[in-house]
Amino acid sequence: MTDDARWQGYAPMARHVAPAAAHLLELLGPASGPLLDLGSGTGLALTMAADGGHEAIGIDASLGQLTAASAACVHAAADARSLPFRSASFGGAISNVALIFVPEPAVAVGEVARVLRGGARFAFSAWRADGWPDACRRVLADALGRPHRSFPTELGDRDTAASLLTDAGFTGIKHHNGTVRWTFRDLDDAVDTLTNAAGGLRLLRSELSGPAWAEAKPLIAEQISRRAGAIDHHLVLDDPYLITTGLAPIAISR
């Protein structure tokens, strides 16, 4: 949902979050009309939706990710805060760990409410707080001598996520927990993959010179190892997420 440079090389992360997209679609259920994917990225959720019988349309602000998506996916470059669709034109909407990156999520959710038909379901996922991304961002920010900007996990809090939907008129708010898992050959593989797949970490790492990265790398390895486990001679790292769902208002000024 942001600039192309930040999301170059995002394919590993897109594959990682795909199970969460499947979870969203499962919770969404049948939709009486087209499905909107807010922040569709490389199009994996759109492909899943199409395979499940949905007519799905995705929007993303990153031209790089849209270019990487399959030509079979229906998608457009657009700002989530100003959706280029008629009111009440969708039968359901999802957003897979994408709404957290929108500068004004309340505005985006208001737009989702506008383009959804009354009673249609919206389901979005967000990372829970205190995960490896924020810890790693802090290490890299310190190495660059700049203030740390926390990873956007506010919508991984139940009360915050519920308020966001309620304020936009959604009802029937529900929460669902989930976890997606990374599997790596070893700790070095984990450090290199995570600092290249995650957009914010990739940008920070790219600004570090050789010696500075050499000093930061073991500190990142330490943060990851604290949270990782071992299964079948592989290192595994779990990412907990929260899904929040709600029903679009029946009566809304459109």
Side-chain angles (χ1 to χ4, degrees):
M1 300 292 291
T2 60
D3 57 286
D4 293 343
R6 181 177 183 180
W7 297 110
Q8 288 175 357
Y10 183 73
M13 180 63 79
R15 292 190 295 270
H16 173 60
V17 301
H23 194 178
L24 285 171
L25 290 168
E26 178 185 355
L27 292 171
L28 193 72
S32 58
L35 169 68
L36 173 65
D37 182 5
L38 197 73
S40 55
T42 58
L44 291 182
L46 290 175
T47 301
M48 292 181 193
D51 290 344
H54 290 284
E55 176 190 352
I57 300 172
I59 67 104
D60 204 289
S62 169
L63 294 176
Q65 290 204 66
L66 291 171
T67 301
S70 167
C73 297
V74 179
H75 48 230
D79 189 327
R81 297 168 294 179
S82 181
L83 296 175
F85 304 112
R86 297 192 307 274
S87 298
S89 55
F90 288 92
I94 62 170
S95 184
N96 191 29
V97 288
L99 188 59
I100 58 176
F101 296 110
V102 175
E104 298 172 289
V107 176
V109 171
E111 276 290 271
V112 173
R114 178 184 66 80
V115 302
L116 282 179
R117 296 171 183 171
R121 192 179 305 277
F122 176 40
F124 71 90
S125 58
W127 299 123
R128 303 297 297 262
D130 195 30
W132 60 264
D134 197 57
C136 292
R137 283 163 67 105
R138 185 177 298 279
V139 168
L140 294 179
D142 287 347
L144 290 166
R146 64 179 59 169
H148 168 62
R149 295 180 59 191
S150 296
F151 189 74
T153 55
E154 293 87 353
L155 297 184
D157 174 75
R158 288 183 173 226
D159 291 340
T160 303
S163 294
L164 183 69
L165 292 190
T166 300
D167 290 348
F170 285 85
T171 59
I173 311 300
K174 295 181 180 179
H175 300 291
H176 310 266
N177 293 315
T179 302
V180 288
R181 169 169 287 178
W182 289 97
T183 301
F184 307 101
R185 294 189 304 274
D186 51 33
L187 190 54
D188 281 341
D189 181 36
V191 172
D192 287 339
T193 299
L194 296 176
T195 56
N196 278 293
L201 292 179
R202 179 186 176 90
L203 266 189
L204 290 170
R205 175 176 172 175
S206 70
E207 295 183 44
L208 291 172
S209 63
W213 169 243
E215 291 181 9
K217 184 174 181 178
L219 299 178
I220 289 183
E222 179 184 357
Q223 294 296 334
I224 293 172
S225 64
R226 287 181 184 178
R227 297 166 171 80
I231 296 179
D232 295 332
H233 306 292
H234 287 83
L235 184 144
V236 296
L237 182 65
D238 289 338
D239 279 346
Y241 63 83
L242 175 74
I243 288 179
T244 303
T245 66
L247 303 177
I250 298 296
I252 188 171
S253 178
R254 299 185 183 273

